[in-house]
Amino acid sequence: MRSITRQAIYDEVQARGWSYYSLPGKGNAYVVTDNKGRSSIGRGAVFSNSSRNGSYICMHKNHSYAFLEHIGLRVPDYLVPQDFASALDFLKRNKRIAVKPVDAEQSKGVTVDVVDEQGLQEAMNIAEEVSKTGEVVLQHQLEGKLYRILVVNHQLFAAAYRRAAFVTGDGVSSVMELINEKNKDPNRSDKDATPLKTIHLDAVRAH
């Protein structure tokens, strides 16, 4: 059921001959496409050209994927599962998947290389704990390099190549000693402003 605001927007969109498409999930987001093919995501009376709504769309992965599909771009197969059985069916179909919170950022609560039922349950538990809504999204995992791209005013502004943390043995030092030495790099910290992140082993030790 639409709110009064959304109903008023829907009625106006219909009167103009534009298209209106509700995005899946709990965020009550929708896509409006005008007669020139220009699309925008709305929530309430706020659209994606506002910084507030743009941030929301970027953080809510299912809305991002659905919007990209709506404008004709290909995305990896994905699912916001309603129960574990549907999640398991998705895993069997895609063989290797990533499990993410629907509404988190900076890779928090993300598990990759999920290939079996036990790993799927553990990954969903981790993602659900991080997600504000308790929802998770499953995504077919693609192999290759990972880049983060920033576009400003329809132009590429910056790009970053994200590579998993690693150390190279020297035949003398332990792995922990090598990590501690690498963490001394002033370019490496837990703050968002630094190009490199501190290497933590807590999640690895937990397993």
Side-chain angles (χ1 to χ4, degrees):
M1 183 175 180
R2 301 187 186 95
S3 66
I4 295 175
T5 300
R6 287 184 67 188
Q7 186 63 50
I9 292 173
Y10 175 81
D11 291 342
E12 180 63 24
V13 166
Q14 293 297 301
R16 296 188 182 197
W18 297 357
S19 71
Y20 180 103
Y21 167 69
S22 293
L23 291 175
K26 298 181 179 180
N28 295 320
Y30 55 91
V31 178
V32 171
T33 304
D34 66 17
N35 52 19
K36 293 184 179 180
R38 296 173 299 192
S39 296
S40 182
I41 296 181
R43 290 178 64 237
V46 182
F47 284 86
S48 52
N49 55 355
S50 74
S51 57
R52 174 188 172 191
N53 222 25
S55 176
Y56 172 88
I57 295 162
C58 290
M59 187 176 292
H60 288 71
K61 300 173 182 62
N62 56 330
H63 290 164
S64 298
Y65 302 155
F67 179 66
L68 292 173
E69 283 185 313
H70 180 75
I71 62 175
L73 298 179
R74 294 179 60 190
V75 299
D77 190 17
Y78 69 94
L79 174 73
V80 178
Q82 300 302 308
D83 50 41
F84 187 73
S86 62
L88 189 57
D89 286 342
F90 182 87
L91 173 62
K92 291 177 179 177
R93 184 169 72 249
N94 287 279
K95 309 301 183 184
R96 182 180 299 274
I97 67 172
V99 180
K100 310 174 183 181
V102 159
D103 52 358
E105 57 184 342
Q106 298 180 350
S107 300
K108 295 173 183 175
V110 174
T111 304
V112 298
D113 289 328
V114 177
V115 296
D116 56 34
E117 183 173 349
Q118 180 180 347
L120 175 63
Q121 185 65 75
E122 292 175 355
M124 289 181 66
N125 291 340
I126 293 171
E128 287 170 357
E129 289 180 4
V130 174
S131 172
K132 296 180 180 64
T133 63
E135 287 185 299
V136 305
V137 60
L138 315 179
Q139 191 173 38
H140 174 56
Q141 183 169 320
L142 302 179
E143 301 299 324
K145 294 181 178 180
L146 173 59
Y147 294 92
R148 290 292 178 91
I149 296 174
L150 174 63
V151 176
V152 178
N153 195 26
H154 306 289
Q155 294 188 5
L156 177 62
F157 183 79
Y161 168 42
R162 298 195 69 186
R163 184 170 60 171
F166 69 95
V167 293
T168 302
D170 58 10
V172 178
S173 306
S174 67
V175 172
M176 198 66 242
E177 289 171 336
L178 293 169
I179 291 173
N180 289 337
E181 186 62 32
K182 207 159 195 177
N183 281 337
K184 293 178 182 178
D185 186 340
N187 290 317
R188 190 180 293 277
S189 78
D190 289 323
K191 298 179 180 179
D192 293 339
T194 55
L196 301 173
K197 302 302 178 185
T198 302
I199 302 174
H200 295 290
L201 292 184
D202 297 344
V204 177
R205 290 196 187 100
H207 290 80

